[in-house]
Amino acid sequence: MTRWVPPRDVLLAWNRDHLWNPFTPMKNYLEEDPVIIERGEGVKLFDVDGRAYWDGYSSLWLNVHGHNVPELNAAVTEQLGKIAHATLLGSANVPAILLAKRLADLAPPGLRKVFFSDSGAEAVEIAVKMAFQYWQNIGRPEKRRFITMTGAYHGDTIGAVSVGAIELFHARFGPLLFPTVRIPYPHAYRHPSGDPEAAARDSLAALEAILRDQADEIAALIVEPVMQGAAGMIRMPDGFMAALADRLRAYDVLLIADEVATGLGRTGAMFAVEHDGVVPDFLTLGKGLTGGYLPVAATLTTDRIYEAFWGEEIEGKTFYHGHSYTGNPLGCAVALANLELMEQRKLLEHVRRLSARAEARLSAFRELPYVGDVRQAGLMIGIEIVRDRATKAPFPREVRIGRKIVARARELGLLTRPLGDVIVFMPPLATPEAALEAMMDILYRAIAEVTEKEAGR
Ligand SMILES: *Cc1c(COP(=O)(O)O)cnc(C)c1O
């Protein structure tokens, strides 16, 4: 039975009356004639009027094989014929065990334990709480503080916001948050020297100073390896993750690698930490884990951490944390199918080929007069727009240059979402090469047209 879909004007009215969208200034959104998606096919999305758009942001960084993928659909339906949900609290279900094993096999060596949740923010909360309790369980409760990095984004629950550092999103919740110690993320473009090496050196020096004085009080450091996403696609210099991990080991501080955005192929490696050969103590996954189908996230950790929670119930070492839908069988089944398809279709090789193609195309973007910087890690790409390339000064905020470019791209048939003045391009990993070219044609045209027009005002 297909449910009747009301016409667009009715949907919009009901959106206005009842639906509050996330991360969305509702007034602007409703005034700007929002897109209402009805279906998807491959790397295209179709709105309720039947207009087609390229999915230039993987439906917010999630999608892997495209939409309406027969194999993934079948995995959900098949599981649906057995059971939709069965709890993991003091019990187990088949797909959750299979997926835990599969992730442990895929993960960097040593990350053998998998704790499921429903979103990236929860996966981060779990890593933070596990790290905190770990030190208590082994008798070092004074190690209770966390180091985070400028521009960090780890999700929107209060714990995840506590380890976040994006002023626009996080500052107003300050009084609700636990305090952290912050070090700069190495951001070459905005570093006074403009030099990646110098940015990395400053960052490591700040870390070293903190560790030297306070390592006895520090539980863990959390980082988005290789590429900071929400901060505006900030690429760390090669080798930085290895240096960071090395310092933390030396001072016995745990490393939480938040790979909710970068994990599972997005950067051209299965996990971003692999570029530097780093094995963290915790690795969080979300977003692409189910191919963009269902909300499943995971926190991977080592035997060292797990064993500190091992003991009789009365010893009080148990990790008292969980969610109603933890390890949901439908989600785990589709995640398994997603990982199987990735392997069958040699998706990592495809991502590397496609990234090289994108990189070649991006050199023309760099020549555009109002493009300040182009940052890429595989199929995670950010194009920073500036008013003045020499001074790196942005367009005035009220111009909303990012929004305008994205609105023009939408008219031309591509959907994405800006991060301030950074235009995000994150196509589904399985995007065919011809589709990538078509998407980049639109992006280029939208950026060129809108920046020329706004600069000429
Ligand atoms: C998106 C994201 C999260 C939050 O994931 P949700 O599923 O939206 O809660 C956490 N960390 C990083 C690096 C992300 O990009």
Side-chain angles (χ1 to χ4, degrees):
M1 189 193 80
T2 326
R3 193 190 294 267
W4 173 73
V5 179
R8 183 186 159 79
D9 55 335
V10 174
L11 287 169
L12 260 183
W14 291 353
N15 191 161
R16 175 176 290 104
D17 288 348
H18 303 297
L19 178 62
W20 191 344
N21 305 57
F23 270 103
T24 303
M26 290 308 288
K27 179 171 185 294
N28 296 108
Y29 165 82
L30 289 164
E31 283 168 3
E32 286 162 12
D33 195 20
V35 174
I36 303 175
I37 298 298
E38 190 176 17
R39 62 191 187 85
E41 196 64 52
V43 293
K44 283 203 161 162
L45 299 165
F46 296 85
D47 70 12
V48 287
D49 300 321
R51 265 210 74 181
Y53 308 89
W54 297 111
D55 187 353
Y57 63 160
S58 296
S59 295
L60 235 120
W61 316 4
L62 314 178
N63 196 272
V64 176
H65 301 283
H67 300 273
N68 209 351
V69 182
E71 292 85 346
L72 301 186
N73 295 3
V76 179
T77 328
E78 196 186 308
Q79 181 57 43
L80 207 43
K82 295 176 182 157
I83 189 166
H85 187 67
T87 187
L88 287 197
L89 275 63
S91 169
N93 69 61
V94 176
I97 293 176
L98 297 181
L99 181 60
K101 156 97 175 106
R102 182 78 198 220
L103 287 173
D105 289 345
L106 276 176
L111 291 164
R112 293 179 0 98
K113 302 292 190 221
V114 181
F115 197 102
F116 287 118
S117 55
D118 316 333
S119 70
E122 288 165 84
V124 165
E125 297 262 359
I126 287 160
V128 164
K129 287 176 72 179
M130 277 181 179
F132 188 81
Q133 186 176 337
Y134 166 79
W135 294 111
Q136 291 182 23
N137 282 7
I138 67 160
R140 297 188 65 187
E142 70 287 355
K143 277 173 84 72
R144 54 194 296 267
R145 304 176 68 198
F146 290 83
I147 306 178
T148 184
M149 303 189 79
T150 51
Y153 178 79
H154 299 292
D156 295 316
T157 54
I158 290 298
V161 169
S162 293
V163 290
I166 295 183
E167 294 312 308
L168 176 67
F169 305 160
H170 301 153
R172 72 180 65 244
F173 298 108
L176 281 179
L177 309 178
F178 61 76
T180 58
V181 193
R182 240 178 242 184
I183 62 168
Y185 197 91
H187 186 357
Y189 182 65
R190 293 286 169 192
H191 190 269
S193 69
D195 172 29
E197 302 277 314
R201 252 195 325 273
D202 279 3
S203 190
L204 289 171
L207 176 66
E208 185 74 34
I210 290 163
L211 292 176
R212 214 185 303 115
D213 297 346
Q214 310 173 42
D216 286 349
E217 294 163 23
I218 304 222
L221 174 145
I222 182 164
V223 59
E224 292 160 80
V226 175
M227 191 78 136
Q228 252 186 353
M233 300 297 158
I234 318 297
R235 169 104 205 223
M236 63 168 56
D238 293 338
F240 181 81
M241 262 317 288
L244 191 76
D246 176 67
R247 294 334 294 145
L248 296 172
R249 285 260 181 278
Y251 285 97
D252 206 14
V253 167
L254 301 173
L255 171 60
I256 304 172
D258 179 0
E259 294 232 29
V260 169
T262 54
L264 301 169
R266 179 53 70 180
T267 68
M270 192 48 104
F271 303 98
V273 288
E274 289 174 5
H275 292 291
D276 268 12
V278 165
V279 181
D281 299 286
F282 298 93
L283 189 145
T284 57
L285 296 173
K287 294 207 162 102
L289 177 54
T290 61
Y293 263 57
L294 285 164
V296 175
T299 307
L300 276 57
T301 190
T302 60
D303 287 337
R304 170 189 171 188
I305 302 296
Y306 181 82
E307 278 159 15
F309 290 75
W310 186 265
E312 294 300 327
E313 184 171 8
I314 51 160
E315 291 177 59
K317 292 180 176 172
T318 303
F319 188 54
Y320 286 112
H321 183 111
H323 304 279
S324 305
Y325 283 96
T326 292
N328 174 254
L330 293 176
C332 291
V334 75
L336 278 163
N338 170 46
L339 297 173
E340 244 154 59
L341 265 194
M342 283 181 81
E343 192 178 310
Q344 270 169 26
R345 298 188 177 165
K346 300 194 181 344
L347 198 66
L348 279 183
E349 284 167 39
H350 177 76
V351 169
R352 289 184 207 125
R353 263 196 314 275
L354 215 61
S355 309
R357 187 62 210 135
E359 188 180 354
R361 291 278 318 250
L362 285 168
S363 56
F365 286 66
R366 289 178 201 273
E367 302 302 315
L368 285 169
Y370 303 100
V371 168
D373 196 22
V374 175
R375 299 181 286 266
Q376 179 186 13
L379 289 181
M380 208 169 168
I381 293 164
I383 301 157
E384 181 161 346
I385 309 300
V386 291
R387 178 69 185 83
D388 184 330
R389 297 217 305 179
T391 62
K392 303 181 181 176
F395 278 84
R397 218 178 141 205
E398 59 277 14
V399 174
R400 302 176 85 220
I401 194 77
R403 296 263 164 216
K404 285 200 172 119
I405 290 167
V406 162
R408 180 67 184 132
R410 175 183 148 188
E411 284 172 4
L412 295 169
L414 174 127
L415 294 186
T416 186
R417 201 177 138 82
L419 291 161
D421 295 348
V422 176
I423 309 303
V424 171
F425 181 48
M426 273 179 82
L429 302 189
T431 301
E433 185 150 335
L436 181 89
E437 303 284 356
M439 292 184 198
M440 293 189 83
D441 288 343
I442 292 176
L443 265 185
Y444 183 87
R445 192 172 150 199
I447 292 171
E449 282 182 16
V450 173
T451 52
E452 284 298 337
K453 181 165 158 232
E454 292 301 325
R457 275 181 197 273

